């Protein structure tokens, strides 16, 4: 027997319609690429997204066509999120920080028919265009006055001119909720990037779950600033959760330095923000240098890489801002686990609060997890056993775009994340490594992430990375690479002494090397494959 409930498909266009109808005058504020602050309402955004929908039809864009964007967090990018997906086409957000060859590969592999590009990224597209012959046109997301002239792309289209002549009357079409809505490639540290193809259904379900109190905890009373880019896993779904809840949205544009982020947080009464740890290092440095405080910010979600305890303590103790540690991946839309207390944790000591808070958190409803050993057998949730983390659920990728084989997708319906972790009896996950970064010493695993997180708590350390280096007796031993903070000159002995007592004795790195900088991926993660390569002949003193 079937239920007697309306069969309304879950479509992305319904989010902007909802916001425009019930939160019509709620603001969306942008620091534009051109410079000035731009502000308008969800009603305005919906009208312009509809103009864009009409314009796309005029360009001959059909349902299923891929439209690439190379753009920062701005109101125009927001309009493409709704205009492109709303007509049934696929919004392909591209990370402009990737290498040019990777960018060309991605645009070509996705089969993008048009590229929408921000003014300051147009030179990048001018260099790319020869390598992407299938692209039919380039739309520069600016107004006629700021429109660049270009020999390589003489027929580039101006976004404002494109939508100006269009009607704001448009009925968003209704179609199957499993239709593809957007596409995002994971940067990947090896091999070609792989495309994750989201559906309308997965996007809406994920946005619903994300808004929940134990997830991002958002409401119409919030002012949200996604510092995490809209090209990085849909800005962790914030452009969708904002319309779903009717929260105010503050877009930081291309300026992500501490001073610029701070200025918007304060001037727009931001209550909630989210980004990777690197961004927050810049903000905290700015706050400390200038002696400033955060007046309105209540909560910050930190993920993408492990959030060091020292960062959590700084936000909470010095600035009164609650930190929520989160783990996820592009393949997971991206939220998987978030760290909030259970009822039994209420009243825990500060020490216990940070011990728990350091972990990546518990799964939100919709995400099922397990850890397995080398033999594929499930491991216990005792907070000690390390294993490969596997996930499944209605917003987790079932495969990759135009890729027949995915070794990460098992025939049993689980997706192997490539992360290694422990899970405690309460279901809190602690990510200890990427599986390819695991250090195996005498047959036992050492967590590089744990050591790095403690090392950056030393006042003289700006950044730290731990890699395994070959050792004749132990197979591998940890080597700690340190970027000193400012003018600080910490010594090897000081750093080792600082770690001593905070980790198991046999986890203590065999050596410390000071470096000027560490290599990162396009999404700001440590590129350990490069470090392992650079240090493959390194002789440990103990070897
Ligand atoms: P990309 O490699 O393209 O940046 P993702 O952003 O999808 O791809 O990266 C997902 C990976 O980032 C996870 O598999 C995990 O290794 C790492 N990660 C994400 N959040 C955390 C976290 N809170 N702690 C540790 N690692 C994290």
């Amino acid at each position: 027997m079937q239920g007697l409930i309306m069969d309304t498909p879950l479509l992305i266009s319904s989010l902007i319609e909802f916001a425009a109808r019930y939160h019509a005058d709620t603001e969306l504020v942008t620091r534009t690429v051109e410079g000035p602050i731009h502000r308008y309402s969800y009603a305005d955004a919906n009208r312009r997204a509809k103009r864009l929908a009409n314009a796309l039809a005029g360009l001959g864009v059909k349902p299923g066509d891929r439209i690439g964007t190379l753009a920062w967090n701005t109101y125009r990018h927001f309009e493409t999120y709704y205009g492109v997906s709303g007509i049934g086409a696929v919004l392909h957000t591209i990370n402009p920080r990737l290498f040019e060859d990777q960018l060309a590969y991605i645009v070509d592999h996705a089969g993008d028919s048009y590229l929408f590009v921000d003014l300051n990224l147009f030179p990048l597209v001018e260099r790319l265009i020869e390598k992407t012959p299938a692209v039919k046109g380039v739309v520069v997301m600016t107004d006629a006055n700021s429109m660049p002239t270009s020999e390589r792309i003489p027929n580039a289209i101006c976004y404002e001119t494109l939508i100006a002549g269009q009607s704001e009357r448009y009925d968003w079409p209704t179609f199957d909720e499993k239709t593809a809505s957007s596409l995002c490639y994971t940067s990947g540290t090896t091999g070609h990037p792989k495309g994750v193809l989201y559906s309308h259904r997965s996007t809406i379900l994920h946005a619903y779950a994300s808004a929940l109190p134990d997830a991002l905890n958002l409401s119409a009373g919030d002012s949200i600033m996604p510092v995490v880019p809209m090209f990085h896993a849909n800005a962790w779904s914030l452009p969708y959760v904002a319309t779903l809840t009717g929260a105010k949205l503050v877009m930081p544009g291309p300026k992500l330095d501490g001073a610029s982020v701070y200025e918007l947080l304060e001037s727009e009464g931001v209550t909630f923000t989210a980004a990777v740890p690197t961004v927050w290092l810049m903000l905290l440095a700015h706050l400390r240098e200038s002696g400033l405080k955060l007046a309105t910010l209540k909560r910050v979600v930190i993920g993408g890489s492990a959030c060091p305890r020292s960062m959590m303590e700084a936000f909470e103790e010095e600035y009164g801002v609650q930190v929520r540690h989160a783990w996820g991946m592009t393949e997971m839309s991206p939220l998987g686990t978030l760290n909030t207390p259970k009822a039994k944790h209420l009243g825990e000591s500060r020490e216990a609060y940070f011990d728990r808070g350091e972990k990546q958190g518990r799964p939100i409803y919709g995400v099922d997890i397990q850890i397995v050993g080398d033999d594929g057998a499930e491991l216990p949730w005792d907070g000690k056993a390390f294993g490969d983390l596997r996930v499944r659920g209605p917003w987790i990728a079932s495969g990759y775009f135009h890729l027949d084989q995915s070794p990460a997708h098992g025939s049993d319906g689980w997706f192997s994340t490539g992360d290694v972790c422990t899970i405690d009896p309460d279901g809190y996950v602690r990510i200890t490594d990427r599986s390819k970064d695991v250090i195996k010493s005498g047959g036992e695993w050492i967590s590089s992430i744990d050591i790095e997180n403690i090392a950056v708590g030393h006042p003289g350390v700006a950044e730290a990375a731990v890699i395994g280096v070959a050792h004749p007796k132990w197979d591998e031993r940890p080597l700690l690479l340190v970027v000193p903070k400012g003018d600080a000159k910490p010594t090897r002995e000081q750093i080792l002494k600082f770690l001593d007592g905070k980790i198991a004795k046999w986890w203590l790195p065999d050596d410390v090397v000071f470096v000027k900088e560490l290599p990162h991926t396009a999404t700001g993660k440590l590129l350990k494959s490069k470090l392992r390569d650079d240090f493959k002949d390194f002789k440990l003193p103990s070897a």
Side-chain angles (χ1 to χ4, degrees), residues 59 114 137-142 147 153 155-159 161-162:
L59 290 174
Y114 284 89
V138 175
V139 178
V140 187
M141 296 162 92
T142 191
M147 201 48 199
I153 314 179
N155 51 358
I157 302 164
C158 168
Y159 182 89
T161 312
L162 175 71

Side-chain angles (χ1 to χ4, degrees), residues 95 185-189 232-233 236 277 302-307 325-332 334 337 358-360 417-420 431-434 449 521-525:
N95 183 345
Y185 281 71
T186 61
S187 50
T189 44
H232 190 189
W236 301 351
I302 306 184
S305 299
C307 172
H325 195 186
W327 166 86
M329 50 197 315
T330 305
E331 286 88 337
M332 301 176 72
T337 64
E358 253 183 333
K359 297 178 184 173
Q360 277 75 5
T417 62
D419 286 327
V420 173
I431 305 282
T432 54
D433 264 306
R434 293 291 291 163
I449 294 182
T521 68
T523 46
K525 286 167 210 190

